[in-house]
Amino acid sequence: MVKERLHEQAVLAGNWIYIDGGDIMNQEGRYLRNNETYGLDLSKNWSNASSAITRTTRPANATSLSGQALWFDEKQNLIYDFGGFRTYALYSYDPTPVESMWAFTPDEKGAGSWREVLGPTGTDAFPSDIKRPFLGGYCSDERYGYYVGGYRNTRSTPSLETDFNIISRGLLKFDFGNLTITNTYDGNFARSQSFEFIAGSGKLVNVPTYGAGGILILLSEGDPNTVVSFNNVTIYDKIAQKWYSQLASGDIPEPRSDFCIVGIQSTVESGNFEIFMYGGVVNYKLGPNAENSDQVYVLSLPAFQWFKAIYPPGYSRALHTCHKTHTNQMIIVGGVDPRSDTHWVGEADMRAEAQDPWPEGIGIFDMTTLKFKNFYEANAKQYETPESIKGFYNDKSKRYPAQWNSPAVKEIFQPTKSPSQLSAGSIGGIAAGVTVAVVAIVAITISILKRRTKKAKLSPTIFGKELPDDERHELHPSANLPELANKHGGSLELANTGITELFDTSRRDRLEMP
């Protein structure tokens, strides 16, 4: 039985949540590197005390790291493991492994197999211009894995000789199809006043319902020297390849780090989206003076309105992850109490008496009732937006913020009806309509040709001359054939953009790369 786990990462794949990496505390109170991949079955009922976990041991040359990213490619049924750092846990003296990327193939039984895809034994070499980051924000869509910010040091990048955290700048995009990683960074953008609040360690979520090709929402963290307020939300437009921000209102969470977020489609109105935030290190305070972070907040889009779940606080938690399921339940994995004597694994022996109140460090939260529960239901109801949020939107005037930060942000969430702004789905529908119309025109022309051929002479009609009255055919006005706009087509590459200067959330000296 695991007493505590932290810095692990997890991802939903099919009917399983796969947990990998990080550190675990054994019964003697020592943190050790986790060398197993856990599969948590979502197709069966279980309680905290009897969760259905399956284990797969990593290959000897696939060193398990902490604070990495896990991306799931549903089309190929692959989980990609990117980034991470060598554990600070005591009794772990392994050298930092060479930079590489591994992929896990789930077997739909909670187990699976690992193989290297980029690196010494992989299909291709790991790109030399990409340095392995850790503790950045990440998410994915059906085609790409995204990673923003994070840090680097000798425990993540063998070529570095410092144990101090170096800021990792830029947005990384991993292409599931050709296994390439691209980075974007613009020094001028990094110092833009509008984005000075973006910290190195944040949380990223994919929101497919806005913009021509979806957006990313970044909720940044911070540190005692760089307080980050959640009244300003960072937005990345994937098609425009630009960063924006928008002011939020409501029950705004206090500044914090090391929290987790989950995004889910709202049931209030088509297009609405909810982002759940749980836990963290509130106001960056650790130890006996730390505040209880057993708090759940919900950011509702497109109103950019924060809501706080009301329930009696219990166990404070940070350095954990959270994950949506196919129902109304959110699964929380791992974490430690920031009110304990120490926050960092390097002093693990000081936490010998620590014990997570959740067996195996796994908790369940009902996102509809906004309450914690001690059991998981495989056949629970589908997610329904909480009543407090539904009530807010009963006033139609509150659907959008009172003021948008910029016209560009407004266009993402409250678009005009001009054809040039239609989504890819709308364009697809128009294309289908035009195709039907073209087929009809071709059929009419063939019919005319057949009739005229019987007279052993082609009608000049097909060469642009007027048909006799009995041969005229026009499309009825109700066909309403629109013109196709020249919309984004083919694959898109990220233009040069960047991320603001990032800060070291481990409270160490801050270094910058040129």
Side-chain angles (χ1 to χ4, degrees):
M1 180 72 70
V2 173
K3 294 184 68 175
E4 278 190 339
R5 64 173 79 240
L6 77 162
H7 278 145
E8 87 297 326
Q9 301 299 312
V11 66
L12 174 67
N15 284 322
W16 294 81
I17 288 179
Y18 289 91
I19 307 166
D20 187 69
D23 302 295
I24 57 175
M25 178 183 282
N26 62 18
Q27 292 301 311
E28 288 73 42
R30 292 179 175 177
Y31 271 108
L32 304 173
R33 185 179 67 204
N34 173 36
N35 290 314
E36 295 181 312
T37 302
Y38 298 82
L40 183 61
D41 193 353
L42 300 180
S43 66
K44 300 176 181 178
N45 296 338
W46 44 264
S47 68
N48 298 73
S50 62
S51 52
I53 289 180
T54 304
R55 291 171 169 82
T56 300
T57 302
R58 273 178 166 262
N61 62 333
T63 304
S64 176
L65 298 175
S66 299
Q68 77 278 34
L70 294 179
W71 295 313
F72 178 55
D73 177 3
E74 184 176 5
K75 184 177 180 180
Q76 300 185 71
N77 189 39
L78 287 174
I79 297 173
Y80 291 100
D81 180 356
F82 172 74
F85 64 93
R86 180 167 51 87
T87 177
Y88 283 95
L90 300 178
Y91 321 110
S92 179
Y93 306 105
D94 295 338
T96 301
V98 296
E99 290 170 312
S100 62
M101 179 183 286
W102 288 72
F104 180 78
T105 304
D107 64 1
E108 299 183 358
K109 298 179 181 178
S113 59
W114 285 98
R115 64 182 175 88
E116 191 173 33
V117 291
L118 296 179
T121 63
T123 305
D124 293 299
F126 191 86
S128 59
D129 60 328
I130 302 296
K131 304 304 178 184
R132 180 193 285 140
F134 61 89
L135 293 180
Y138 68 92
C139 67
S140 63
D141 57 25
E142 67 282 353
R143 184 176 175 184
Y144 298 105
Y146 300 91
Y147 190 101
V148 64
Y151 309 101
R152 289 170 285 143
N153 62 26
T154 189
R155 291 177 176 270
S156 67
T157 306
S159 60
L160 296 176
E161 298 181 354
T162 178
D163 206 30
F164 292 102
N165 288 350
I166 296 174
I167 299 160
S168 180
R169 294 193 176 101
L171 174 70
L172 301 177
K173 188 172 79 169
F174 175 63
D175 191 317
F176 294 150
N178 57 28
L179 304 182
T180 58
I181 306 173
T182 55
N183 187 15
T184 62
Y185 175 67
D186 181 343
N188 293 327
F189 176 91
R191 288 162 176 78
S192 169
Q193 183 177 359
S194 300
F195 300 92
E196 64 183 1
F197 54 84
I198 301 179
S201 193
K203 300 297 182 288
L204 198 66
V205 64
N206 178 54
V207 183
T209 53
Y210 301 111
I215 62 172
L216 307 178
I217 293 290
L218 173 65
L219 296 180
S220 301
E221 298 186 355
D223 59 33
N225 299 318
T226 312
V227 176
V228 177
S229 173
F230 294 107
N231 67 351
N232 214 340
V233 178
T234 307
I235 305 157
Y236 180 75
D237 187 319
K238 291 189 282 186
I239 295 298
Q241 305 154 43
K242 293 181 178 179
W243 290 94
Y244 305 98
S245 66
Q246 174 59 41
L247 289 175
S249 56
D251 299 322
I252 298 173
E254 294 177 279
R256 66 192 63 207
S257 64
D258 304 306
F259 53 88
C260 71
I261 63 173
V262 158
I264 192 165
Q265 189 73 42
S266 173
T267 60
V268 172
E269 192 170 340
S270 176
N272 283 28
F273 198 85
E274 275 109 47
I275 300 173
F276 286 72
M277 169 195 283
Y278 171 62
V281 181
V282 179
N283 289 315
Y284 319 113
K285 295 179 181 179
L286 299 170
N289 295 324
E291 302 174 42
N292 192 315
S293 67
D294 184 10
Q295 305 165 346
V296 173
Y297 289 87
V298 185
L299 175 64
S300 178
L301 305 178
F304 283 86
Q305 183 80 8
W306 282 102
F307 298 85
K308 183 178 182 180
I310 305 302
Y311 61 85
Y315 185 79
S316 192
R317 191 172 297 269
L319 291 174
H320 54 291
T321 62
C322 47
H323 313 275
K324 67 180 179 181
T325 64
H326 303 297
T327 68
N328 58 14
Q329 298 160 110
M330 176 174 73
I331 304 298
I332 300 98
V333 180
V336 297
D337 189 341
R339 298 171 298 179
S340 300
D341 290 335
T342 181
H343 177 62
W344 301 106
V345 185
E347 302 171 5
D349 279 355
M350 294 174 62
R351 296 179 55 82
E353 302 302 318
Q355 175 66 62
D356 195 321
W358 296 342
E360 293 290 347
I362 296 173
I364 307 104
F365 183 79
D366 188 318
M367 294 186 290
T368 296
T369 64
L370 300 179
K371 304 293 183 184
F372 278 95
K373 51 196 292 190
N374 57 15
F375 57 92
Y376 169 80
E377 297 175 274
N379 296 318
K381 295 179 180 179
Q382 294 298 302
Y383 172 71
E384 187 81 15
T385 296
E387 290 297 328
S388 57
I389 301 178
K390 286 182 180 179
F392 175 85
Y393 282 103
N394 284 339
D395 184 346
K396 299 301 182 182
S397 66
K398 295 181 178 180
R399 177 168 168 75
Y400 301 104
Q403 182 176 352
W404 292 104
N405 277 30
S406 69
V409 174
K410 180 179 180 180
E411 192 60 50
I412 293 173
F413 295 92
Q414 196 176 358
T416 62
K417 302 299 182 181
S418 62
S420 62
Q421 300 298 325
L422 289 172
S423 67
S426 298
I427 291 175
I430 293 173
V434 172
T435 301
V436 171
V438 171
V439 170
I441 293 171
V442 171
I444 291 169
T445 304
I446 293 174
S447 175
I448 293 170
L449 287 174
K450 286 183 178 179
R451 292 188 214 178
R452 306 307 288 176
T453 301
K454 292 181 180 179
K455 298 181 181 181
K457 183 179 180 180
L458 284 175
S459 169
T461 304
I462 61 172
F463 299 103
K465 294 187 178 182
E466 187 176 6
L467 282 168
D469 289 343
D470 62 341
E471 296 291 350
R472 292 180 183 178
H473 297 267
E474 292 184 3
L475 286 176
H476 192 275
S478 64
N480 190 27
L481 298 180
E483 214 173 54
L484 276 178
N486 182 15
K487 196 64 175 172
H488 311 284
S491 61
L492 294 173
E493 294 297 329
L494 287 172
N496 287 335
T497 181
I499 299 302
T500 188
E501 186 172 354
L502 305 177
F503 295 89
D504 179 359
T505 57
S506 70
R507 292 64 171 164
R508 297 179 178 170
D509 292 343
R510 176 166 58 86
L511 302 179
E512 296 184 9
M513 291 292 285

